[in-house]
Amino acid sequence: MNGTLPSRSNDSSSTITKYEKSSCLFCNDWFDSQTFTEHLIHCGQVLEQCPNTCKVFLPRLRMRAHLKECPHAKHLSSSVENLDEMAEQRIQALENDINTLRTVLNEEIRQRLHLITDLGNVRKQNQLQDEMSHSVQESLKHLQNRLNEENTQRCYEVEQCQQDFRYCHDIVQTLKTELQHEIDDLEKHINRVSLEAARHQNLLNDNILQLEDTVLAHERNNRDKFIELENYLQTFNDDIKSTLQINADYNAKYATLGLEIKSMKHIVCETEERCDKLEALFTEIDRNLHHTMQLVADMENYLSTQQRLTSIVNTRGHLIWHIKDLSKKLDESKKYDTILHSAMFSNKPYGYALRLDIYLNGKGNWKGRNMLACLNVLAGEYDALLTWPCRLQANVLIRDQRYASQSESDDYIKLVNVRYSIKESDKVFVELYHVTRI
């Protein structure tokens, strides 16, 4: 018996059948599709005809025993060859039959699959049609309900419109009646106004006639006054001409006097310019003279300084400097940029030679705004023994002169440090700037 072992997989749309094994028609054993053909070649239960032409069909396992007992054994050698050929022919025929059966089965399975697929599609279409029918019915029901509601609403609105129309008709009738009464009243009022207008027109005509008579009388009076005015203007014109003749002489004299005044102004302007130039020259000469005197004083101070270098008395580093005539010296500083020099002193015995310079009117960016104090380190006798560059600190104290008591005075103290120091050719310049608001 030849058969198959099917395996099925079910889903919502189709059923698929797969044939994995086949049974042998002779021994009834099950084999895979790959080993089935090989089994048919070696299967011992396959019926074969005796090659000795004895017309006997035996299983392949018994064929050799039969050949030994077969009466036609004399043809054994040739029979074996015939047997092999017949076996191959039978095997080939069996393979063809099996392939044909498989083809038929596969075609049947394919058709069944197509039918199952078509059936699933038909079911889906029927389901969709049912859903659409149900949806259409629901929509129709909903639409019918909406139509009923709309019909009810329209009927209600029609009734309301009829009531509104009746109400408006009543109002229109009432307004028409009131308007007719008002029109009648207006016609009466127009008639009264027409009568009043006719009466006023008559009065206006009378007034116009009276006004024309009055205007004619005024015109006659104005004509007489105009003639008198023309005579007066003629007389006044003659007087003006005589006056202008007199003024012409005065104008000539005034023009001559104006020329003389202009020439005098020109002379005065030239004189003022010369005075300004002389004043500027005098100021410059005065400034140069003062600078020269300052240089002479500086040279004298320098000479005296050189003489006193070896005999500095103040070696405590404490200098008290009382500046006399501060207002006068401040004015000179504003005018000539003068510098005040203090006496020389030292910060300690055998120390740096120091001097305090003051710019009362300031210097550079502070000029005219602040007082500038400058601490100078000069070339001294003991510079070779000192540390360079020098680093010093100094307290500059400006004493308040307004009060006699020190407790009441408002003194100003500022700590300053050395900013830089340079030593060249035994000459040292160290500047400490202390700026104080003037």
Side-chain angles (χ1 to χ4, degrees), residues 231-248 251:
N231 295 328
Y232 175 76
L233 290 175
Q234 185 65 31
T235 305
F236 184 72
N237 191 15
D238 295 337
D239 294 338
I240 289 174
K241 287 181 179 180
S242 60
T243 305
L244 290 175
Q245 186 66 29
I246 296 170
N247 288 333
N251 289 332

mmCIF file of all heavy atoms in Angstrom, residues 231-248 251:
data_model
loop_
_atom_site.group_PDB
_atom_site.id
_atom_site.type_symbol
_atom_site.label_atom_id
_atom_site.label_comp_id
_atom_site.label_asym_id
_atom_site.label_seq_id
_atom_site.Cartn_x
_atom_site.Cartn_y
_atom_site.Cartn_z
ATOM 1 N N ASN A 231 -9.720 166.532 -0.130
ATOM 2 C CA ASN A 231 -9.096 167.852 0.030
ATOM 3 C C ASN A 231 -8.062 167.829 1.153
ATOM 4 O O ASN A 231 -6.960 168.384 1.031
ATOM 5 C CB ASN A 231 -10.172 168.909 0.315
ATOM 6 C CG ASN A 231 -11.119 169.087 -0.877
ATOM 7 O OD1 ASN A 231 -10.688 168.930 -2.029
ATOM 8 N ND2 ASN A 231 -12.380 169.413 -0.615
ATOM 9 N N TYR A 232 -8.397 167.147 2.249
ATOM 10 C CA TYR A 232 -7.467 167.069 3.383
ATOM 11 C C TYR A 232 -6.202 166.293 3.004
ATOM 12 O O TYR A 232 -5.078 166.681 3.350
ATOM 13 C CB TYR A 232 -8.178 166.418 4.568
ATOM 14 C CG TYR A 232 -7.273 166.188 5.754
ATOM 15 C CD1 TYR A 232 -6.898 167.267 6.574
ATOM 16 C CD2 TYR A 232 -6.788 164.914 6.037
ATOM 17 C CE1 TYR A 232 -6.058 167.058 7.639
ATOM 18 C CE2 TYR A 232 -5.956 164.704 7.106
ATOM 19 C CZ TYR A 232 -5.579 165.781 7.923
ATOM 20 O OH TYR A 232 -4.738 165.572 8.979
ATOM 21 N N LEU A 233 -6.357 165.191 2.261
ATOM 22 C CA LEU A 233 -5.198 164.392 1.848
ATOM 23 C C LEU A 233 -4.298 165.166 0.900
ATOM 24 O O LEU A 233 -3.072 165.040 0.943
ATOM 25 C CB LEU A 233 -5.664 163.089 1.177
ATOM 26 C CG LEU A 233 -6.311 162.049 2.108
ATOM 27 C CD1 LEU A 233 -6.837 160.870 1.298
ATOM 28 C CD2 LEU A 233 -5.314 161.561 3.153
ATOM 29 N N GLN A 234 -4.851 165.980 0.050
ATOM 30 C CA GLN A 234 -4.036 166.785 -0.863
ATOM 31 C C GLN A 234 -3.178 167.768 -0.080
ATOM 32 O O GLN A 234 -1.982 167.930 -0.352
ATOM 33 C CB GLN A 234 -4.966 167.524 -1.842
ATOM 34 C CG GLN A 234 -4.229 168.289 -2.913
ATOM 35 C CD GLN A 234 -3.459 167.378 -3.855
ATOM 36 O OE1 GLN A 234 -3.879 166.256 -4.099
ATOM 37 N NE2 GLN A 234 -2.322 167.854 -4.354
ATOM 38 N N THR A 235 -3.797 168.364 0.927
ATOM 39 C CA THR A 235 -3.045 169.309 1.764
ATOM 40 C C THR A 235 -1.927 168.588 2.522
ATOM 41 O O THR A 235 -0.789 169.068 2.619
ATOM 42 C CB THR A 235 -4.001 169.988 2.758
ATOM 43 O OG1 THR A 235 -5.080 170.604 2.039
ATOM 44 C CG2 THR A 235 -3.277 171.042 3.566
ATOM 45 N N PHE A 236 -2.232 167.401 3.045
ATOM 46 C CA PHE A 236 -1.243 166.630 3.807
ATOM 47 C C PHE A 236 -0.086 166.173 2.912
ATOM 48 O O PHE A 236 1.081 166.149 3.326
ATOM 49 C CB PHE A 236 -1.944 165.418 4.438
ATOM 50 C CG PHE A 236 -1.057 164.607 5.330
ATOM 51 C CD1 PHE A 236 -0.664 165.091 6.576
ATOM 52 C CD2 PHE A 236 -0.589 163.373 4.916
ATOM 53 C CE1 PHE A 236 0.159 164.350 7.376
ATOM 54 C CE2 PHE A 236 0.237 162.628 5.727
ATOM 55 C CZ PHE A 236 0.612 163.112 6.975
ATOM 56 N N ASN A 237 -0.376 165.862 1.662
ATOM 57 C CA ASN A 237 0.663 165.445 0.717
ATOM 58 C C ASN A 237 1.636 166.578 0.433
ATOM 59 O O ASN A 237 2.857 166.376 0.352
ATOM 60 C CB ASN A 237 -0.001 164.959 -0.565
ATOM 61 C CG ASN A 237 0.984 164.258 -1.496
ATOM 62 O OD1 ASN A 237 2.087 163.896 -1.083
ATOM 63 N ND2 ASN A 237 0.596 164.089 -2.738
ATOM 64 N N ASP A 238 1.104 167.766 0.312
ATOM 65 C CA ASP A 238 1.988 168.920 0.081
ATOM 66 C C ASP A 238 2.911 169.136 1.273
ATOM 67 O O ASP A 238 4.116 169.418 1.112
ATOM 68 C CB ASP A 238 1.132 170.172 -0.170
ATOM 69 C CG ASP A 238 0.313 170.044 -1.465
ATOM 70 O OD1 ASP A 238 0.744 169.239 -2.340
ATOM 71 O OD2 ASP A 238 -0.737 170.691 -1.575
ATOM 72 N N ASP A 239 2.372 168.989 2.483
ATOM 73 C CA ASP A 239 3.208 169.149 3.681
ATOM 74 C C ASP A 239 4.319 168.088 3.732
ATOM 75 O O ASP A 239 5.464 168.365 4.110
ATOM 76 C CB ASP A 239 2.342 169.052 4.941
ATOM 77 C CG ASP A 239 1.354 170.226 5.035
ATOM 78 O OD1 ASP A 239 1.632 171.264 4.407
ATOM 79 O OD2 ASP A 239 0.319 170.069 5.723
ATOM 80 N N ILE A 240 4.007 166.845 3.357
ATOM 81 C CA ILE A 240 5.008 165.762 3.388
ATOM 82 C C ILE A 240 6.130 166.028 2.403
ATOM 83 O O ILE A 240 7.312 165.789 2.683
ATOM 84 C CB ILE A 240 4.323 164.415 3.097
ATOM 85 C CG1 ILE A 240 3.453 163.994 4.296
ATOM 86 C CG2 ILE A 240 5.344 163.322 2.806
ATOM 87 C CD1 ILE A 240 2.629 162.764 4.060
ATOM 88 N N LYS A 241 5.795 166.545 1.225
ATOM 89 C CA LYS A 241 6.839 166.827 0.230
ATOM 90 C C LYS A 241 7.815 167.872 0.746
ATOM 91 O O LYS A 241 9.032 167.742 0.588
ATOM 92 C CB LYS A 241 6.190 167.307 -1.060
ATOM 93 C CG LYS A 241 5.501 166.189 -1.836
ATOM 94 C CD LYS A 241 4.885 166.728 -3.121
ATOM 95 C CE LYS A 241 4.208 165.615 -3.915
ATOM 96 N NZ LYS A 241 3.600 166.125 -5.170
ATOM 97 N N SER A 242 7.292 168.884 1.400
ATOM 98 C CA SER A 242 8.188 169.917 1.944
ATOM 99 C C SER A 242 9.069 169.339 3.053
ATOM 100 O O SER A 242 10.262 169.652 3.166
ATOM 101 C CB SER A 242 7.352 171.092 2.470
ATOM 102 O OG SER A 242 6.480 170.645 3.503
ATOM 103 N N THR A 243 8.494 168.443 3.862
ATOM 104 C CA THR A 243 9.273 167.825 4.955
ATOM 105 C C THR A 243 10.365 166.913 4.402
ATOM 106 O O THR A 243 11.488 166.865 4.922
ATOM 107 C CB THR A 243 8.335 167.027 5.864
ATOM 108 O OG1 THR A 243 7.283 167.884 6.329
ATOM 109 C CG2 THR A 243 9.090 166.457 7.050
ATOM 110 N N LEU A 244 10.092 166.178 3.346
ATOM 111 C CA LEU A 244 11.093 165.292 2.741
ATOM 112 C C LEU A 244 12.257 166.077 2.161
ATOM 113 O O LEU A 244 13.406 165.617 2.187
ATOM 114 C CB LEU A 244 10.442 164.442 1.644
ATOM 115 C CG LEU A 244 9.466 163.351 2.126
ATOM 116 C CD1 LEU A 244 8.809 162.669 0.929
ATOM 117 C CD2 LEU A 244 10.200 162.328 2.978
ATOM 118 N N GLN A 245 11.985 167.240 1.642
ATOM 119 C CA GLN A 245 13.064 168.068 1.103
ATOM 120 C C GLN A 245 14.033 168.461 2.210
ATOM 121 O O GLN A 245 15.258 168.469 2.030
ATOM 122 C CB GLN A 245 12.458 169.322 0.445
ATOM 123 C CG GLN A 245 13.480 170.185 -0.265
ATOM 124 C CD GLN A 245 14.091 169.479 -1.460
ATOM 125 O OE1 GLN A 245 13.441 168.643 -2.080
ATOM 126 N NE2 GLN A 245 15.343 169.780 -1.770
ATOM 127 N N ILE A 246 13.485 168.754 3.378
ATOM 128 C CA ILE A 246 14.347 169.122 4.518
ATOM 129 C C ILE A 246 15.138 167.898 4.996
ATOM 130 O O ILE A 246 16.326 167.977 5.320
ATOM 131 C CB ILE A 246 13.482 169.708 5.648
ATOM 132 C CG1 ILE A 246 12.828 171.013 5.182
ATOM 133 C CG2 ILE A 246 14.308 169.946 6.899
ATOM 134 C CD1 ILE A 246 11.765 171.538 6.123
ATOM 135 N N ASN A 247 14.486 166.712 5.005
ATOM 136 C CA ASN A 247 15.157 165.492 5.496
ATOM 137 C C ASN A 247 16.279 165.048 4.574
ATOM 138 O O ASN A 247 17.215 164.362 5.010
ATOM 139 C CB ASN A 247 14.146 164.356 5.640
ATOM 140 C CG ASN A 247 13.203 164.574 6.818
ATOM 141 O OD1 ASN A 247 13.581 165.253 7.787
ATOM 142 N ND2 ASN A 247 11.999 164.028 6.741
ATOM 143 N N ALA A 248 16.233 165.395 3.311
ATOM 144 C CA ALA A 248 17.294 164.996 2.375
ATOM 145 C C ALA A 248 18.618 165.608 2.791
ATOM 146 O O ALA A 248 19.678 164.951 2.737
ATOM 147 C CB ALA A 248 16.921 165.410 0.960
ATOM 148 N N ASN A 251 19.956 163.687 5.729
ATOM 149 C CA ASN A 251 20.459 162.355 5.347
ATOM 150 C C ASN A 251 21.869 162.428 4.800
ATOM 151 O O ASN A 251 22.711 161.564 5.058
ATOM 152 C CB ASN A 251 19.535 161.717 4.308
ATOM 153 C CG ASN A 251 18.204 161.291 4.914
ATOM 154 O OD1 ASN A 251 18.151 160.979 6.106
ATOM 155 N ND2 ASN A 251 17.145 161.293 4.122
#
